[in-house]
């Protein structure tokens, strides 16, 4: 397989040139909330480039799994209809973090392009930034200057954002010949089809400030990216990435499943094959890395991919779920180098099948509503308005693409402008819902502070109290030299035993004191690298910058937090043991009262599974494993399959492992010394919190004891109320329930007899009004009994009208039933509309049965007479 050969050869080449092979990060970027999916090889190295963290290596090589379906890289609508667009692709890349720069990067790129990729040297062109004379000169060592083109900032200058690291870049392009256009150089090639870019070298050499000023970085770096699929297409000499080995194998499998032949170049028949092959890869890798289809954020993107694949599948006659049937082919093609999809194959298949089945139901439900909208719009010769289209998407999950296709078939247009307004409002609402409460300071608030103060040293792993120097005081978002009694503020110390909120563990509480002054700490946070802030109130005295103070953590609270944190690790382990290794953490909270653990799982957990999870946790507690902590290099930790390492954490060059028996996780939190100190763990509740995400809550240590004591107390009180011992309570309640069933049966029989007698009385009071039989009475019934009672009277009456009213707690109801032979002359809603105002209300219903509620029970007799009057005038 050419893709596999090139992938492995690329990695081997750079490993042979001193680069550390760093595995691809998950396509779900847990460490970067600004991204929906990993979309470039440099994503996992972002903090290294920004100087926020370090690794033990200065050279790295990766083949990164990427998904581009959002933001400026939204290729979704193009996928399947062009020769190059994909949602999933592999990015080959080599990186230098302050080690080598342009000379070496260009030399490596030329060597790889001509030997590893085996491209003909005379076919290669390069572009450089118009002002980058250095790069131009370096390229002249490898190819003639006529094949080096200068391009402007738009094409050949890279920035990470409005500010921060940036620099010129150089692209390698492959000339595919006159068949792709008569353009003499890449400058004249308007669509980049003849001179196909296959590798981009970014020379990260400047730091750009908000005013646009660029200053040289102290350690220039290199970030490169080459799309594997594009490289393979050039090697194979094919016009379309879908003709490359991996994607063509998937297309062949789609041919087999659908019984339909693939015709490349056919603008109608080829796109469905392309879409399915591409989307399957995105879906499989995203689910393997912990994502789930849902209605929000990346989950919604995955749901769109499933539905788009299903819609195109139907064009090939694939009416039943089919994506899971393609997985074995994908695993054969890519599972050897990406074992995560092989390990998660059954789960991926199960989840995709459930999503496809759900969408088929959506098409049935929404399809009926859409057809009624189309019919109505066709009659009135109007557009389908945006609100109707948005309702179909938002309420029924019916994709806009499907609405547009059906509308087009009916010769109708959709008001996309108003639809997009509603879509934007919905996204903004979702975005606001995600924002939590945070400390808010000016961008350079703490960076300026750190420039003149060393980092705060955390001593809380070994100490719970000690001495520290006040290095900063903050009040109302400004630094101050003095806090006085009663002031709310923030204290910054040079060292502290207080743990700052991180990794799901809440911050410590406690006191900071000096000579009669007392600052009560209610929370601790780390808003900036090297800065730990103690948030609270000065309850007595004064506190000055520079003072030496006593710091004491609330030890009892800390110990309960530690118990719950260690229990969270054991619970995580047990969940994977019982439910499968595909379980991924999706969030956690650890405090003194309980633990909360969110995880990805696509179906309900049975009572038996939950019991086994709890038993496994408690078995680890009883084993009284020592809880050890030690450090490893991040590179070594990545190679350890027994160490869990996610989510949302920023890992540095060295990482801390918390080792509790067979539970091993990268974690910076505080923990008990032995698992036996937890006492035991008790699950409090478990349930779904979003599509594909579940939450389990539990207590350990003292809180678990309190929970059991509370339950025992409740059990004792129940037993006392029943006059039996707790041991006999279940038997006693079962007897009571049987007695209740018998009594309910007797009551129903008695009530049935009562209603029959009441019906007989009402029937005897029937009268003829204008030739129509009428029963109009106020009766004593419950609301649920009213419809069936009226329909029973109407059945006895045969032909006529029944009007029944009832009173209840200052309100009333009125129900009208009309026999089917009369609805052409008079309908129940018409009678209700005329009578309802007399009881101070309104209502409606179907032609034969209508109901109204009101606030004026005294008006019921007049309402019934109004119905009789209306019948009299028929």
């Amino acid at each position: 397989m050419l893709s596999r050969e090139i992938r492995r050869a690329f990695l081997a080449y750079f490993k042979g040139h001193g680069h550390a092979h760093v595995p691809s990060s998950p396509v779900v970027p847990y460490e970067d909330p600004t991204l929906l999916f990993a979309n470039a090889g440099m994503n996992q190295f972002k903090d290294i480039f920004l100087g926020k963290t370090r690794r033990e290596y200065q050279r790295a090589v990766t083949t990164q799994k990427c998904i581009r379906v959002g933001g400026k890289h939204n290729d979704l609508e193009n996928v399947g209809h062009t020769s190059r667009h994909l949602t999933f692709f592999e990015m080959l890349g080599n990186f230098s973090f302050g080690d080598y720069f342009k000379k070496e990067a260009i030399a490596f790129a030329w060597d790889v392009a001509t030997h590893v990729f085996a491209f003909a040297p005379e076919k290669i062109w390069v572009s450089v930034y118009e002002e980058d004379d250095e790069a131009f000169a370096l390229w002249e060592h490898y190819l003639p200057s006529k094949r080096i083109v200068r391009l402007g900032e738009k094409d050949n200058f890279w920035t990470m954002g409005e500010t921060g690291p940036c620099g010129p870049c150089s692209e390698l392009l492959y000339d595919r010949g006159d068949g792709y256009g008569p353009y003499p150089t890449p400058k004249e090639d308007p669509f980049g089809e003849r001179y196909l870019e296959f590798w981009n070298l970014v020379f990260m050499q400047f730091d750009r400030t908000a005013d646009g000023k660029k200053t040289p970085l102290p350690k220039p770096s290199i970030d490169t990216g080459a799309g594997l699929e594009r490289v393979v297409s050039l090697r194979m000499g094919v016009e379309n990435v879908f003709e490359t080995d991996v994607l063509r194998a998937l297309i062949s499998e789609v041919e087999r499943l659908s019984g339909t032949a693939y015709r490349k170049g056919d603008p109608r028949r080829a796109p469905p094959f392309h879409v399915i092959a591409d989307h399957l890869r995105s879906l499989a890798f995203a689910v393997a890395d912990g994502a789930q289809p849902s209605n929000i954020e990346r989950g919604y993107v995955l749901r769109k991919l499933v539905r788009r694949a299903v819609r195109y599948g139907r064009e090939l006659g694939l009416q039943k779920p089919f994506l899971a049937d393609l997985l074995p082919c994908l695993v054969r093609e890519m599972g050897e180098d990406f074992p995560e999809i092989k390990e998660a194959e059954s789960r991926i298949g199960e989840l995709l099948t459930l999503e496809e089945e759900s969408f088929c139901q959506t098409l049935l439900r929404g399809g009926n509503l859409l057809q009624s909208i189309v019919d109505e719009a066709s009659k009135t010769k109007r557009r389908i308005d945006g609100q109707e289209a948005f309702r179909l998407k938002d309420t029924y999950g019916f994709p806009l693409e499907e609405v547009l296709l059906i509308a087009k078939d009916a010769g109708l247009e959709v008001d996309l402008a108003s639809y997009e307004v509603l879509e934007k409002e919905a996204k903004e609402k979702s975005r606001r819902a995600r924002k939590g409460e945070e400390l808010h300071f000016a961008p350079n608030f703490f960076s300026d502070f750190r420039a003149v103060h060393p980092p705060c040293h955390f001593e809380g792993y070994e100490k719970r109290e000690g001495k520290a120097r006040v290095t900063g005081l903050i009040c109302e978002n400004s630094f101050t030299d003095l806090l006085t009694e009663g002031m709310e503020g923030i204290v910054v110390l040079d060292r502290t035993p207080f743990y700052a909120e991180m990794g799901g563990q809440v911050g410590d509480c406690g006191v900071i004191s000096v000579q009669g002054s007392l600052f009560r700490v209610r929370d601790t946070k780390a808003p900036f690298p090297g800065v730990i802030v103690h948030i609270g109130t000065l309850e007595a005295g004064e506190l000055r910058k520079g003072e030496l103070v006593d710091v004491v953590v609330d030890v009892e609270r800390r110990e309960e937090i530690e118990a719950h944190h260690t229990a969270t690790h054991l619970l995580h382990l047990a969940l994977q043991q019982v439910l499968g290794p595909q379980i991924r953490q999706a969030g956690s909270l650890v405090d003194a009262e309980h633990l909360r653990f969110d995880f990805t799982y696509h179906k309900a957990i049975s009572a038996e599974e939950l019991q086994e999870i709890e038993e496994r946790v408690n078995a680890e507690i009883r084993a009284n494993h020592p809880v050890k902590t030690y450090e490893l290099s991040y590179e070594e930790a990545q190679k350890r399959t027994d160490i869990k390492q996610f989510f949302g954490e920023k890992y540095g060059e060295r990482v801390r492992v918390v080792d509790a028996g067979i539970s091993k996780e990268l974690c910076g939190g505080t923990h008990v010394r032995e698992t036996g100190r937890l006492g035991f763990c008790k699950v409090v509740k478990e349930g779904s919190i979003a599509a594909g995400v579940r939450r389990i809550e539990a207590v350990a240590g003292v809180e678990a004891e309190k929970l059991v004591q509370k339950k025992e107390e409740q059990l004792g009180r129940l037993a006392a109320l029943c006059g039996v011992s707790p041991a006999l309570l279940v038997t006693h309640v079962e007897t009571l329930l049987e007695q209740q069933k018998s009594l309910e049966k007797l009551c129903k029989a008695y009530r049935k007899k009562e209603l029959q007698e009441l019906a007989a009385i009402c029937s005897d009071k029937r009268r003829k009004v204008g030739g129509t039989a009428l029963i109009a009475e106020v009766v004593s019934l419950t609301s649920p009994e009213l419809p069936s009672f009226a329909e029973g009277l109407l059945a006895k009456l045969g032909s006529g009208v029944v009007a029944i009213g009832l009173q209840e707690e200052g309100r009333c109801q009125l129900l009208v039933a009309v026999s089917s032979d009369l609805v052409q002359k008079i309908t129940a809603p018409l009678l209700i509309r005329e009578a309802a105002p007399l009881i101070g209300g309104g209502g409606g219903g179907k032609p034969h049965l209508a109901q109204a509620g009101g606030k004026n029970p005294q008006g019921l007799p007049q309402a019934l007479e109004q119905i009789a009057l209306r019948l009299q005038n028929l």
Side-chain angles (χ1 to χ4, degrees), residues 22 178 182 195 305 337 339 374 399 469 477 497 556 592 614 628 640:
V22 180
D178 293 338
Y195 300 94
L305 292 179
D337 285 350
V374 168
R469 180 85 54 192
N477 284 6
E556 185 176 339
E614 189 177 284
K628 300 173 289 186
R640 291 273 299 271

Side-chain angles (χ1 to χ4, degrees), residues 491-511:
V491 179
V492 187
L493 305 171
D494 65 340
R495 59 189 62 248
T496 182
F498 285 76
Y499 181 83
E501 179 182 339
M502 198 177 300
Q505 180 175 331
V506 297
D508 276 334
C509 297
V511 294

Side-chain angles (χ1 to χ4, degrees), residues 463-540:
K463 298 180 179 180
R464 309 292 175 86
E465 59 182 69
K467 296 278 188 182
R469 180 85 54 192
V470 177
T471 56
L473 295 171
I474 302 169
C475 184
E476 296 181 352
N477 284 6
S478 297
F479 280 105
T480 181
D481 291 334
L482 175 70
L483 290 181
T484 58
E485 189 170 321
M487 291 178 70
E488 299 272 333
I490 292 174
V491 179
V492 187
L493 305 171
D494 65 340
R495 59 189 62 248
T496 182
F498 285 76
Y499 181 83
E501 179 182 339
M502 198 177 300
Q505 180 175 331
V506 297
D508 276 334
C509 297
V511 294
I512 299 172
S513 61
V514 59
Q515 297 176 351
S517 299
L518 188 144
F519 182 88
R520 190 166 300 280
V521 180
R522 66 172 180 270
D523 200 1
T524 309
K525 293 182 181 292
F528 189 83
V531 178
I532 296 176
V533 298
H534 307 76
I535 306 162
T537 306
L538 189 64
E539 295 185 351

Side-chain angles (χ1 to χ4, degrees), residues 142-193:
Y142 303 99
L143 70 171
S145 58
K146 67 180 182 180
R147 296 213 311 271
I148 308 170
V149 296
R150 294 180 185 266
L151 297 176
E153 185 168 338
K154 180 183 175 183
D155 296 302
N156 276 65
F157 196 90
W158 180 90
T159 62
M160 188 177 288
E162 294 296 323
T163 61
C166 62
C169 55
S170 180
E171 293 183 339
L172 283 79
L173 308 105
Y174 188 86
D175 181 3
R176 298 201 287 175
D178 293 338
Y180 293 89
Y183 310 116
T185 78
K187 275 189 174 183
E188 290 76 36
D189 187 359
F191 304 110
E193 287 290 340

Side-chain angles (χ1 to χ4, degrees), residues 299-313:
Y300 180 59
V301 173
L302 297 184
R303 181 156 284 170
K304 283 173 68 176
L305 292 179
V306 171
R307 293 177 172 189
R308 194 164 186 259
V310 169
R311 181 161 60 83
Y312 278 96

Side-chain angles (χ1 to χ4, degrees), residues 34 38 93 194 200 211 232 276 322 367 421 513 562 601 734 808 864:
T34 65
R194 172 170 178 168
N200 187 22
D211 60 4
V232 173
I276 292 167
F322 62 88
V421 169
S513 61
E562 290 176 341
Y601 198 60
E734 288 173 345
E808 50 182 6
L864 294 175

Side-chain angles (χ1 to χ4, degrees), residues 1 17 74 119 124 167 216 240 304 307 356 387 406 414 452 479 568 652 698 775 831 853 863:
M1 267 194 61
H17 287 80
N74 191 347
F119 292 154
I124 298 175
N240 196 313
K304 283 173 68 176
R307 293 177 172 189
E356 287 181 86
Q387 190 166 7
I406 294 174
V414 178
V452 294
F479 280 105
T568 301
I775 297 175
L831 295 173

Side-chain angles (χ1 to χ4, degrees), residues 278-344:
D278 169 78
H279 289 10
L280 177 74
R281 295 208 302 171
S282 284
L283 290 163
F285 278 95
V287 172
D289 284 342
Q292 303 269 355
S294 70
N295 285 330
I296 59 171
E297 298 177 333
R298 67 173 62 94
Y300 180 59
V301 173
L302 297 184
R303 181 156 284 170
K304 283 173 68 176
L305 292 179
V306 171
R307 293 177 172 189
R308 194 164 186 259
V310 169
R311 181 161 60 83
Y312 278 96
R314 290 190 165 206
E315 293 186 23
L316 301 178
L318 294 166
Q319 300 296 325
K320 295 180 180 179
F322 62 88
L323 291 173
D325 296 330
L326 298 172
L327 281 174
C329 176
L330 178 63
V331 170
R332 283 196 303 273
E333 298 294 320
M334 300 186 72
E336 196 171 318
D337 285 350
F338 299 98
E340 60 269 29
I341 60 169
K342 187 173 185 179
E343 293 167 3

